[in-house]
């Protein structure tokens, strides 16, 4: 058995170094195909080479490091996460998975360990989708599911993705060369911060992800009748906001009583929107997620019925549009079992949880089994400068990833 | 007994003429101290003189018409309403009361009727308060309660009220000369459209106003914790919008179960306000009105307790500010009794209702007893181009006002 190394400090130092590569000095912002993207890629490739890997930038801007197995050209275990950020980001979301994987490989290299598989570490170029409003660009290119229509999308300066690739030194027509064959990839494991408060509330440094939740988003418009706040008696009102309020509570009640389901009304816009006018119209959103597609679909159906009934009861017109519908992506039991073993081996209880946020694994699942390790983050805060991971949790995550790699079972590949 | 005249058609024609005096051709807008104010005042004074009255513009811009009684200089019965409008207004809100009163006096003059009291018809210059964000400027000047601090308020072009008065040919230092002595005014009667749906739902052309409702306005801020819509389980949320929704329903439930009370949440602003983010902060308003100050005060107290309890239960911080607090102004029984008699005499049932909207009578109540007649308006719609009064209801309102004047009991003055 390989002894897990002490990698936490190196990882945390590298997170700080990457966190300083930002287009704004005081607000971490590292956007796809910018000079900061280039600088971060160069830094990652330097660390990859230092860890004994070959490294290159692929056709979409992913950083790809490869550590050969017992002989050259073996199928790989793929590790990784993304290294782009949202605007005014935290420094852990994404980079922790890339940097931890590099450090693990570096340690294996130091120990001169080779396996009956290669290891690849990918730094995905664009997961957040800030620049072109389309997520998972890097991982979709690798999975061979990149949608070329996005090449004509423009950023806020009016630059198309095609132009931005060219300015970066990449050729849009070559993106398909980034795609990987199913036979070449044994599995994919991503380590990522939880971006939620569950592990903190459980007192656990790490968690085993069961699935990346599917999500349905609805846009709901209630229309009633605006009126004077003083002159229309309560029983003659058709108050769109009162109807929305009843719906919001019904959504909360339903989701609270179904384990594993979350439902959020994140936005509500009230018109006309004056203190002394009864609201005639409210536009509100609903975001429903679950690790189980069956649970999510049933919830959406029940909630739509409930919302429509509330509108009818109040003589409000109701229009519901489905703006987003993404299936759940399960983590593969074969890989999750190996991660669970590593977690137990490191003396931790195995806490299973779904990932409510999306990750590159959603795209990579199209070419291989995936597994995910969550690391606790303080207060569940993410996409914010206050995002923080304790050094001991960085260490715990690294040890578990290292153990999982070192004990990876090549024959676990399904299908 | 004087025979009620057929005045409806004349009144409706004059409403059309006034409705065409607007700063925008397609959206009735007649604002204080503008050329349209001047044009409407000139028109009203011309009709007053035609009706046998003396007419002048007072120091604040009110139009004052006087029809002497059996001898010159007698105390007056004051009639009136306002002739300014909101932006993109209906043509009936305000002018109906002024024009109907002029037509009634015109008919009395035709019939050569003189009474043991004078009649004054006032067109109040600024009730809506659009230009300087302060209501009842005209009626407060007459009541002697004009607050001179408003003279330094600026309109959206940066012009102070003092400057606007000067440009109009009025002298701010003379406003106090518009004030009337209590001994000179026997009572005040205002005819106005209901601006609500109650009379329509009762199938009644007119209503007797019991009081102008007092109003309390609150600004409520709930703060919880923003978070990712996918990663924070339902039982770990502090969702400010869910708390606001529960409050909105509690307000509705309370007000629905208390006859005569209305409570409205007219505005709610959700932050950060994204589909996939749990709301961390909601700012919402509450407007509570009742003809009974006791009922309103108790309601506000109960609702504040309820809102605070909801916030506490959900671990939200709650800040409540009282932005407005106006007592109710009751209509005087002595005058209401006379209006009720006139309503019955015209063959209608007497429907009593509070006025949820404010009116000039609120200010005039400081110098004399007041009474109000409401006229049904279609769909309860007001402050909107769709505002409409049927000709037969104009006629009904005019006959009742005429009857009330013709039978006015001078000795009814209280105190």
């Amino acid at each position: 058995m390989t002894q897990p190394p002490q990698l936490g400090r190196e990882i945390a130092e590298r997170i700080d170094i990457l966190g300083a590569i930002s287009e704004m000095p005081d607000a971490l912002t590292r956007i796809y195909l910018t000079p900061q993207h280039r600088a971060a890629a160069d830094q990652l490739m330097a660390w990859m080479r230092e860890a004994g890997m070959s490294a290159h930038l692929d056709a979409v801007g992913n950083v790809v490091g490869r550590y050969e197995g017992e002989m050259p050209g073996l199928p790989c275990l793929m590790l990784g996460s993304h290294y782009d950020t949202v605007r005014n980001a935290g420094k852990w979301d994404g980079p922790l998975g890339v940097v931890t994987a590099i450090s693990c490989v570096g340690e294996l290299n130091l120990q001169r360990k080779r396996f009956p598989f290669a290891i690849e570490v990918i730094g995905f170029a664009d997961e957040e989708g800030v620049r072109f409003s389309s997520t998972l660009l890097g991982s979709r290119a690798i999975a061979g599911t990149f949608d070329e229509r996005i090449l004509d999308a423009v950023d806020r300066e009016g630059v198309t993705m095609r132009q931005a690739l060219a300015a970066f030194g990449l050729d849009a027509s070559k993106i398909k060369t980034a795609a990987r064959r199913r036979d070449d990839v044994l599995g994919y494991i991503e380590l990522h911060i939880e971006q939620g408060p569950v592990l903190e509330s459980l007192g656990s440094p790490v968690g085993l992800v069961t699935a990346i939740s599917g999500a349905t988003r609805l846009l709901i418009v209630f229309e009633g009748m605006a009126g004077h706040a003083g002159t229309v008696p309560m029983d003659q009102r058709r108050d769109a906001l009162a109807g929305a309020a009843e719906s919001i509570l019904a959504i909360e009640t339903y989701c609270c009583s179904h384990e594993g389901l979350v439902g959020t009304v994140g936005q509500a816009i009230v018109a006309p929107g004056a203190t002394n006018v009864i609201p005639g119209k409210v536009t509100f959103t609903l975001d429903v997620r679950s690790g189980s597609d069956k649970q999510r679909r049933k919830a959406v159906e029940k909630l739509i019925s409930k919302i429509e009934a509330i509108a009818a009861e109040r003589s409000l017109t109701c229009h519901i549009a489905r703006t987003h519908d993404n299936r759940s992506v399960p983590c593969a039991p074969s890989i999750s079992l190996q991660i669970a073993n590593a977690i137990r081996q490191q003396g931790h209880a195995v806490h299973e949880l779904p990932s409510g946020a999306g990750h590159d694994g959603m795209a990579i699942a199209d070419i291989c089994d995936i597994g995910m390790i969550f690391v606790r983050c303080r207060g569940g805060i993410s996409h914010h400068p206050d995002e923080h991971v304790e050094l001991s949790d960085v260490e715990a995550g690294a040890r578990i990833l290292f153990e999982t790699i070192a004990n990876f079972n090549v024959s676990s590949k399904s299908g």
Side-chain angles (χ1 to χ4, degrees), chain A:
Chain A
M1 189 187 120
T2 315
Q3 184 56 35
Q6 297 281 339
L7 299 173
R9 197 162 299 278
E10 174 180 271
I11 293 166
E13 283 167 8
R14 288 179 172 184
I15 289 291
D16 281 341
I17 292 166
L18 279 179
I21 302 175
S22 166
E23 67 183 55
M24 287 179 284
D26 298 325
L28 172 55
T29 304
R30 194 165 58 241
I31 309 296
Y32 185 44
L33 301 175
T34 59
Q36 293 74 38
H37 174 177
R38 170 74 67 189
D42 288 345
Q43 179 61 78
L44 288 170
M45 289 191 289
W47 289 331
M48 286 170 167
R49 290 178 187 126
E50 201 179 297
M53 290 184 264
S54 65
H56 73 281
L57 206 64
D58 78 4
V60 79
N62 298 318
V63 170
V64 180
R66 183 172 168 96
Y67 181 76
E68 293 293 352
E70 288 161 354
M71 65 184 77
L74 288 171
C76 74
L77 169 63
M78 189 179 280
L79 311 171
S81 192
H82 62 97
Y83 68 102
D84 65 316
T85 72
V86 295
R87 296 188 195 282
N88 196 22
K91 62 190 175 185
W92 303 89
D93 169 11
L96 180 63
V98 188
V99 166
T100 300
I102 295 171
S103 288
C104 286
V105 173
E107 182 63 23
L108 292 167
N109 185 51
L110 271 182
Q111 298 182 14
R112 301 182 178 278
K113 294 284 290 181
R114 295 283 166 178
F115 302 101
F117 52 90
I119 301 169
E120 292 201 14
V121 178
I122 318 280
F124 295 105
D126 184 13
E127 189 257 11
E128 302 286 5
V130 169
R131 184 160 182 183
F132 298 107
S133 300
S134 175
T135 58
L136 307 181
L137 294 180
S139 43
R140 285 198 175 122
I142 288 204
T145 58
F146 181 85
D147 181 347
E148 299 213 334
R149 287 173 296 187
I150 194 72
L151 291 168
D152 297 316
V154 292
D155 68 9
R156 60 188 191 182
E157 262 81 48
V159 177
T160 66
M161 180 174 164
R162 196 185 304 277
Q163 293 166 331
L165 282 164
F168 196 81
L170 296 171
D171 179 349
S173 70
K174 300 238 164 69
I175 284 184
K176 58 180 77 68
T177 67
R180 310 300 287 269
R181 293 173 47 233
R182 300 180 71 90
D183 289 349
D184 291 341
V185 188
L186 298 170
Y188 171 76
I189 299 174
E190 179 165 353
L191 177 144
H192 200 282
I193 61 166
E194 181 200 344
Q195 302 182 269
V198 174
L199 294 175
E200 189 173 75
S201 68
L202 292 169
S204 180
V206 292
L208 176 63
V209 177
T210 53
I212 300 170
S213 293
T216 299
R217 290 185 186 167
L218 305 179
L219 184 70
I220 303 149
V221 182
F222 274 5
E223 284 197 72
M225 174 67 91
H228 192 296
T231 64
V232 185
M234 298 306 290
D235 61 0
Q236 293 184 39
R237 297 183 172 204
R238 290 167 54 215
D239 181 332
L241 181 56
E246 191 176 348
S247 304
I248 291 164
L249 284 191
I251 291 161
E252 184 185 48
T253 301
Y254 184 91
C255 296
C256 282
S257 64
H258 291 79
E259 181 72 26
L261 183 72
V262 287
T264 307
V265 177
Q267 178 58 300
I269 294 168
V270 181
T275 306
N276 62 343
V277 181
I278 299 161
K281 181 176 176 181
V282 175
T283 304
F284 61 107
T285 59
L286 172 59
D287 180 310
V288 179
R289 305 194 196 197
S290 169
S292 155
D293 286 339
K294 189 177 162 198
Q295 183 184 49
R296 174 176 49 86
R297 289 192 187 113
K298 185 178 164 200
V300 169
E301 189 188 311
K302 293 275 183 196
L303 290 174
I304 287 176
S305 294
K306 184 75 191 158
I307 290 165
E308 286 174 340
I310 289 167
E313 175 71 27
R314 291 174 170 273
S315 301
L316 305 171
T317 64
C318 171
H319 182 75
I320 302 181
R322 199 175 289 239
T323 55
H324 177 95
D325 219 3
N326 249 14
R327 68 180 170 81
S328 164
V329 176
C331 291
S334 58
I335 291 186
S336 292
L337 192 66
Q338 299 186 61
I339 295 171
N341 286 338
I343 292 173
R344 275 190 215 96
Q345 207 168 20
Q346 290 299 315
H348 305 291
V350 177
H351 292 296
E352 297 192 338
L353 73 171
S355 169
H359 295 290
D360 287 299
M362 295 165 77
I364 301 302
D366 285 337
I367 53 166
C368 67
D369 287 346
I370 68 163
M372 283 196 78
I373 301 162
F374 268 174
V375 176
R376 171 169 60 186
C377 59
R378 188 179 59 196
I381 294 165
S382 181
H383 285 193
H384 189 279
D386 287 345
E387 194 178 87
H388 179 71
V389 181
E390 292 296 330
L391 181 61
S392 56
D393 293 355
V394 175
E395 188 70 53
R399 286 179 176 220
I400 288 157
L401 182 62
F402 185 89
E403 282 301 303
T404 308
I405 303 165
N407 297 302
F408 187 69
N409 179 2
V410 182
S411 63
S412 70
K413 188 176 179 184
S414 64

